[in-house]
Amino acid sequence: GYLDFARASPALFRLMFSEETIIECTSELTAASEEAFEHLVQDIERVHGTSPYEDAAVMARVMATWSFAHGFAELLLSGRMKPVQAMSKAKQEAFFRQAFEPLLF
């Protein structure tokens, strides 16, 4: 989903993470941001059986996973992953899962 969103809305994806953008942080934006983060936290918690909020090592997995997904999306958008970009969407998904899996465990 993260990659799909980045590819479908690259300008918005980059805007969301830009420090140069001054945007009023409304309660709706804060709630949406927290909800997206919690989705990742819950996925990692399911894999590890421990709350990342209670185990720093599991929270490190959350942050590593998010960093990896974000970096992967940014590199794709920037045209820096030519071999991956040449793959079909299904092959990209399989490649991403293969690259991502070691971070989960």
Side-chain angles (χ1 to χ4, degrees):
Y2 201 91
L3 290 177
D4 290 340
F5 174 76
R7 283 188 274 198
S9 303
L12 181 57
F13 176 80
R14 287 183 167 140
L15 176 67
M16 289 168 54
F17 293 98
S18 173
E19 275 192 38
E20 297 172 8
T21 304
I22 298 174
I23 188 167
E24 184 179 334
C25 193
T26 66
S27 59
E28 287 178 359
L29 288 175
T30 300
S33 175
E34 289 172 359
E35 184 180 329
F37 183 73
E38 281 304 310
H39 180 75
L40 175 60
V41 166
Q42 290 171 9
D43 285 347
I44 298 295
E45 184 173 347
R46 274 193 291 277
V47 169
H48 288 273
T50 303
S51 169
Y53 297 114
E54 296 171 6
D55 186 327
V58 178
M59 183 57 80
R61 295 287 183 183
V62 170
M63 295 303 173
T65 302
W66 183 16
S67 298
F68 181 83
H70 187 81
F72 197 97
E74 185 58 46
L75 289 168
L76 277 174
L77 293 178
S78 298
R80 304 286 187 215
M81 295 186 124
K82 302 265 187 246
V84 176
Q85 289 168 298
M87 296 175 186
S88 68
K89 187 173 178 182
K91 285 188 178 185
Q92 283 181 2
E93 180 70 22
F95 177 84
F96 183 66
R97 287 180 184 278
Q98 181 182 8
F100 201 92
E101 190 173 307
L103 289 172
L104 298 175
F105 302 100

